[in-house]
Amino acid sequence: MSTAEIENPGARNSPIVHTRAYQQELLDESLHRNLIIALDTGSGKTHIAVLRMKHEAERSSQKVSWFIAPTVALVEQQFEVIKTAIPVSVGLVSGASEPNQWKDASLWRTILASHRIMVTTPQVLLDALHHGYIDLGADVGLLVFDEAHHATGKHPYNMIMKNFYFTLPLRTSITDPQDRVRPMVLGLTASPIYGGNVDAAFRELEKNLDSTIRSSRRNRDELAQHVYRPEFKHVLYESPIHTWEDVPSMNYQALRDVVDTLDIENDPYVISLRSRLAKLEPGDDRRRLDQQLSKTLDKQDTFAHRGLRDFARAAEEICYELGPWAADWYVAKVIERAKLAANPFNNIMSAWQEKEKRYLLSIISRVQVTEPPSDPDKIANGITPKVRALVDTLVVEEGLFRSRDEDYSGLIFVTRRDTVVALAELLRRIPETAQLFRLGCLLGSSSSFKRHSFLDITRTILEESQADTLRDFKIGDKNLIVSTSVAEEGIDIQACGSVIRFDPPPNVVAWAQSRGRARRKRSSFTIMFERTGPQKVKEWEETERQMMAAYNDPLRDVIIPVQEEDVFDDMDGYVEFAVESTQALLTIHSAIPHLNHFCAVIPSGGQDSHVPIYELNPPDYVEGWHSLPDRMQTPYQGPWGATVTLPRVLPKELRKFTTPKVHRTKRKAQQHAAFKAYVELYHAGLLDNHLLPLSTAIEPDKKEEVEAMLAEVAKRASTARVAIQMDPWAVSQETSAWFAHELTIQDLPTLRMLTRRPLPIFAPEDFPALYIPKQGKASMTISPTQPVPVTIDEVRRAQEYTYRLFFTVYGSRMDRDNMDFSYLFLPGSAWPDDTVWEQRRQWQHNRHSRRLTTQPEGPLMANAAALGEHFSYPRDLAIVRGTNKFDKPLQLLGWRYEPLSAEEEEKFREQYDMYPDLQISYPLMVVQSLPRRRNFMIPFTPESAVSVPQADSPFLLHPQHALVELASRSEVQYALMLPSILRWLSNALTVDALRTNLFAHSPVSHVALPLLMTATTAPTSQELFHYQRLETLGDTVLKFIASNQLYAEFPLWHEGYLSRKKDHAVANSNLAKEAVQKGLYKWIIRDRFVPRKWKPHYASIQVPSDDALGEEQEPEKLVDNKGGKDKKRKRNAEELSTKMLADVVESLIGAAYEHGGFDLAIDCAERFGLGLSWKKLPQRIEEMHKVEDLDDLPEQLNLVEQMLSYRFRRRTFLVQALTHASYQGDSAVMSLERLEFLGDAALDMIVTDYLFHAPGKHYTPGYMHIKKEAAVNSHILAYVCLSTSVTVESVMPAWSPETGLVSVDDTQRIHLWQCLLHSSHRVLEDQNLTFARFQKHGPAIAKALKEDSIYPWAALTSLQAPKFISDMVESILGAVYVDSMGSLDAVRQVMRSLGLMQVVERVVVEDVDVLHPVSRLGIWAGQQDPQKKVEFKLEKANGNVKCAVLIDEEELLEVSASYRSRVSEDEVRFTAAEQAIRKLKVRDADVEDALPLVEDDLPLVEDDVEAD
């Protein structure tokens, strides 16, 4: 769009637009009918489309306008114009925006709901229509086709119309905007036809787009004022002097001489094909390879030979077109770049294979290249008449512009890409042009460097990107561009003053498009013609005149109706398949790309991607054609049939599809085979209702949905002022009854406990132990007998007693005179000394009532001197306090009667310096601080045995200035221990609520209380036991049982589907979603128990959710390791984190597994659903056995069974476990990936279970993770596969003249990896190379695994084993699991036979250091003071790779190795790290430091047990 049309395009909301009369004319007409607007480039067609879409957006209809352009560059260019001009939401989707991300129905619905205009490439819209994501009639109100002349044949423009537009009801005058009808159509083009008969071409385009082609009729004069038609010129040049047979280029002749001597039999690709063919047994794979070899030889079509022939042909044409110097330069330059690219130590052309590089290097090295002269005169003498004519034309054109005081800007259009590069170089070297022009080149945007052609290397000759060249041209740094047709349309390039066609345009569209680039005032358009060649200028001008007449012919205004037979007149044999629910459509034309995509998304295990294999009937060549002496054969003309074979990961019935020999072309036969296969895949449930592989849409990600649900839960909790975590003591207001229970602590009298509802019956093992200083470990129980209702009088007495009991220790934090407690206590049967203490309390009550007491005495607190004097200084006082330390409870050790020494008296008086006249009377009180322990659930540590610190040493109090709490020792002990007991009981009641609500009527409710309590306790609570270990176990159990469910339920699914579905089921977001829906958050114990801030729970006060979540807590703190300061963190953000909810689901599954095995774990998982259908494992195992047994079994099965020490009941499973996806034998089994999926889960389960229960270890999740990785990583599994073997004893007859015929020993060792069934030369090569590395490094690895204290990570990595070798071990374990009817013991025994179990056990028993060396070195550096910086510096040179370890930028050591692949870099890095560890003597490092910080993984703060 020109600046005259939209001023200030950067103004997003209100651009100033000027609509010309001819634009308004065509806009008005487009509002009432479908139109194809035919206007010259630069006339403002896009502006009309913008106004039309703006009008559509302003209507009330919710349908979108859809603007489609044929190239990504045009889409992006037009998107910027549209979003600048129209103040609505404009969406952009193209091939450059990862269209795979757009294969989601909900995403498309969201996009349609939030945008009024979409700008895309046509393939994006066609795909969305095919998959039913878009309904053209219901969702789109206006279709705009940019460059509408493309709507012919099988172009996506035409497919959109034929497959989806013409099937819709017609739009009528009474059509409602929301009706499902055909959208309106607007086409834009500068040239509606490519050539030929104008009337026929117009009718075809108008029929295809259901539109009328129109230009302006009433405003032609104004249109002429705004469209600057360039001055047409033509230049004639003489034919070259030389002929094609006598090319005068020395370098071309040298290249030709080498190319002519090439023998394709020496090509590494042909050698490889023949080698592979010789090793194959008769069968499908051999037949395909035989055809491939014959076709290669017949077409002489190898990458190297085809590329070199193209190279020679390009050089020949350059010589003919440009001259010998250009050809010499081109050959020399390409060979220079090719030598660089073929060097095995660089990566310029990464798609070239190493053998091809060596072969190409050997060929091009034989070309005797002569460096072309750089003398300008010699260069000028070596150009053709065509180039001379071009140079003269350029000089004249530039002079004309200079004479008008205008800057020159020009475009030269050239047909061949290679000619562009050579011509640009010539113009830079010829003096006349070198001084006048600043040149750039455009070759198009493709730069993938895939295996397209050897001549892709010419792209590397250019030093500037396309974007840089265009930028420089726009700002004037370049004034002349030599370009291929890429600049004709689709690139935003400014108007030029001069356009020259070095080669005549091939059709009218190219003529019009290239001419349209010359749209400055007084511009010129020049075409160069060979003097003796055809000159079509008059023909094109006549065609253009006929088009203009047709535009303005009013008799053509009626749209030609499309007849049913017209729609598919060019689609012989057309078939389609539609899904009724989504309207997704599969056509004969889309079947092959759909099937290719389905195969491509199947996981390939590190090997080549899966592809469908097509075979023709009859084949192109007779078998063995490549070896016949006379390779002539009569071409077969049809009809054709085809068979498509899909990867072996699919079951046999979905692997091969054939069409009969009835199709007139090979392509039609292949399309029909693909169509048949894809429809069957849909019916088998391997495609969704949008006709896409399930892996793209098994389930949408739930992360945002879950976060929204959590926010809603938090909002409800805040609004209702209800704690998110349940309050186990809360009861309804109508509840008035109390129930009595008996609480007993070892060595203490019984205490009656009253609660608002009966407590559950606890098993003896449910109760925790109490850890009491100086007493040791003590037991506690709450009576399991039926609770007894109590009287109102008992409740009153219990309230008073409870208030007095707690007030002795926690009075400062209690609500004065508030006795509305949630729990009450009374002494049980008669307590020792109860009478004595009742007398003392009565005595104090009398004193207090007669006002004989002094400050700060009270009814329950007496002056120590008065009490001692009255009761003969008793020694059984439990708590005393100094009046100046009122809040500090102390314990009485005794009374001191002997006088103080002078030193003691001085110190004593300092203590009471506020009483200068203090009279010391005897006895004095000997006291000591109470034990600091307040959380009696925490076991004693070794530090607990240390003598009390100095601050806790005994000291003296003056009785006159001391107070005595009137509570017995037993009451004080209960008062101190009740917070801990109530905390446990609160948690137990929370778990009981979980049992009776979430797990009501479920066997999970019978899981032991301690297990459930651990499973629901978050680390943030800082309880002694929390869910993290159980979560680690439950995570593995869940994946294992989910893998079993999916494997059995979906026997047709390949491993990719199974893995994705499993990952969705066990994803944190899915677990959290189910947890929220079930209300699990209410029963997660995450409030902290802080004894020093504890106070009784009051029934009359509800705790606000913003302040607290349970009885008592404080904001959680994180310790800053650097500064040692406490950091408060926001509580609510952590409290309802997705991870915490998911972790608790997994820990509950772990607890269920611990209590009742996999059956109970499945019961627990079933309660949450998780989107799976749950059955018990025995039932699932039976379903897994519903496979047919094989009759023809491979011979190596006996050997494999010997290696495993396991005899298969059904060998079909073992055959599947040994079958690689490449295997082309007649076996019906699927390849090993499904069993590998199951075996991986079984292996994880066995190892995790062993680590969880390792005697005496109690590993944290971090240690379990890192030790498990040592046992299940791909390196150790590959090592196990490579090292497992069996000896096969045999003898062979041998004859010699001396001994005659004798038997000699021919014993062989057969390895497990050799038993893999495959049909791939690449697999065989990978096996042999890997085994060679194993032979070199295997002994050292074996020794390290048996003896070293450090796990041999680097040595294992040096094997560089491909993934299929480790997969083989897992698939075998999966086969054993299924065959043994789900026995993990059988799998465990096979792991022992393979030596894998011994590795796991030694890692645990001998505490082998399994921390990765790179991680260990990093942890060590971070622990130094000051911290050190570790760097690994990699360097590749001369076929080697080196790794230096730098500590604080100083080199510590260096390791080198031969470079073979990326894995070599890992190998030297790991080796360097291991050597650095030894050199630095690094050993101790916390494994937990190697793991990412988990927010809710907070340590138990020992300080929490302190008193105030």
Side-chain angles (χ1 to χ4, degrees), residues 119-173:
V119 185
T120 75
T121 50
Q123 194 63 50
V124 169
L125 176 57
L126 185 59
D127 286 344
L129 291 168
H130 272 144
H131 295 306
Y133 295 143
I134 304 294
D135 185 321
L136 193 64
D139 297 327
V140 181
L142 172 67
L143 266 177
V144 183
F145 293 88
D146 198 14
E147 308 293 349
H149 50 270
H150 288 291
T152 60
K154 295 183 178 63
H155 191 277
Y157 278 7
N158 209 17
M159 293 296 99
I160 290 170
M161 297 297 291
K162 289 190 173 185
N163 291 338
F164 298 97
Y165 175 89
F166 287 113
T167 60
L168 293 169
L170 290 167
R171 179 189 294 267
T172 67
S173 58

Side-chain angles (χ1 to χ4, degrees), residues 72 77 114 192 321 334 346 422 446 463 470 476 608 626 788 828 867 909 964 1038 1045 1047 1070 1074 1076 1093 1141 1318 1331:
V72 172
Q77 174 184 326
S114 56
E321 292 279 321
V334 170
N346 67 48
S446 175
E463 296 179 354
L470 288 171
D608 294 331
H626 51 80
V788 181
L867 183 138
R909 288 190 180 277
V964 175
L1038 175 58
Q1045 306 297 322
Y1047 185 96
N1070 190 38
E1074 299 296 339
V1076 173
K1093 295 186 176 181
L1141 288 164
H1318 68 88
F1331 189 64

Side-chain angles (χ1 to χ4, degrees), residues 793-1035:
D793 181 61
E794 281 183 294
V795 171
R796 181 188 56 76
R797 289 191 296 108
Q799 288 176 328
E800 294 174 354
Y801 182 82
T802 303
Y803 183 87
R804 176 172 66 77
L805 183 69
F806 286 143
F807 196 83
T808 58
V809 180
Y810 314 108
S812 62
R813 295 194 292 275
M814 291 171 61
D815 299 342
R816 182 70 65 173
D817 298 327
N818 185 354
M819 299 184 186
D820 188 17
F821 302 114
S822 297
Y823 31 70
L824 302 173
F825 298 95
L826 276 174
S829 54
W831 282 25
D833 303 327
D834 203 14
T835 305
V836 172
W837 282 100
E838 187 56 39
Q839 291 175 353
R840 294 170 182 171
R841 284 190 285 270
Q842 187 61 46
W843 167 79
Q844 177 64 8
H845 176 75
N846 294 336
R847 290 183 68 232
H848 188 69
S849 61
R850 296 201 304 267
R851 298 184 179 181
L852 300 177
T853 56
T854 59
Q855 286 292 339
E857 287 185 80
L860 301 175
M861 197 177 301
N863 179 272
L867 183 138
E869 182 178 351
H870 187 81
F871 292 101
S872 304
Y873 301 103
R875 297 177 59 88
D876 61 349
L877 305 182
I879 292 183
V880 299
R881 302 175 186 271
T883 53
N884 59 334
K885 294 183 180 180
F886 185 83
D887 293 329
K888 180 73 171 177
L890 304 168
Q891 58 180 326
L892 178 69
L893 299 181
W895 300 87
R896 174 168 174 168
Y897 292 89
E898 62 272 16
L900 299 175
S901 65
E903 183 180 347
E904 288 175 325
E905 182 175 341
E906 181 181 358
K907 186 176 180 180
F908 187 70
R909 288 190 180 277
E910 287 177 3
Q911 184 177 330
Y912 290 94
D913 57 1
M914 71 290 292
Y915 304 111
D917 299 328
L918 177 70
Q919 293 185 0
I920 300 176
S921 58
Y922 296 93
L924 299 175
M925 306 177 76
V926 182
V927 297
Q928 187 181 44
S929 297
L930 289 172
R932 299 178 62 188
R933 174 174 289 261
R934 288 295 180 271
N935 188 342
F936 294 89
M937 299 292 177
I938 300 177
F940 295 122
T941 61
E943 291 76 11
S944 305
V946 179
S947 59
V948 292
Q950 185 64 36
D952 293 333
S953 298
F955 59 97
L956 300 174
L957 283 184
H958 197 299
Q960 196 63 44
H961 300 285
L963 299 169
V964 175
E965 293 279 2
L966 298 178
S968 68
R969 290 186 186 273
S970 296
E971 288 173 329
V972 169
Q973 281 189 284
Y974 266 115
L976 290 172
M977 287 187 282
L978 275 176
S980 300
I981 295 170
L982 290 170
R983 168 64 176 186
W984 173 84
L985 185 55
S986 173
N987 294 347
L989 293 176
T990 301
V991 171
D992 185 68
L994 172 73
R995 281 171 158 172
T996 56
N997 288 275
L998 181 61
F999 294 120
H1001 314 298
S1002 168
V1004 182
S1005 62
H1006 302 303
V1007 173
L1009 178 71
L1011 272 175
L1012 283 180
M1013 193 180 295
T1014 301
T1016 54
T1017 301
T1020 52
S1021 68
Q1022 296 198 9
E1023 291 288 340
L1024 182 62
F1025 296 104
H1026 53 70
Y1027 64 57
Q1028 282 193 330
R1029 267 176 49 83
L1030 277 177
E1031 178 268 325
T1032 302
L1033 178 65
D1035 173 76

Side-chain angles (χ1 to χ4, degrees), residues 34 57 129 215 239 289 332 413 445 798 802 889 1070 1158 1167 1282 1452:
N34 291 349
L129 291 168
S215 184
S239 301
L289 200 62
F413 284 105
S445 58
T802 303
N1070 190 38
F1158 290 119
R1167 186 66 188 88
L1282 293 164
L1452 178 69

Side-chain angles (χ1 to χ4, degrees), residues 524-549:
S524 65
F525 178 55
T526 305
I527 301 181
M528 300 184 67
F529 294 104
E530 190 173 351
R531 190 176 297 276
T532 59
Q535 301 171 16
K536 296 186 176 182
V537 176
K538 291 184 178 179
E539 179 183 326
W540 292 329
E541 288 178 335
E542 175 59 23
T543 299
E544 194 166 35
R545 189 196 63 75
Q546 293 177 20
M547 287 194 299
M548 295 296 294

Side-chain angles (χ1 to χ4, degrees), residues 620-641:
D620 284 330
Y621 303 90
V622 298
E623 188 170 358
W625 181 91
H626 51 80
S627 299
L628 296 176
D630 181 11
R631 295 177 179 170
M632 298 297 293
Q633 68 175 17
T634 304
Y636 178 74
Q637 301 299 325
W640 302 88

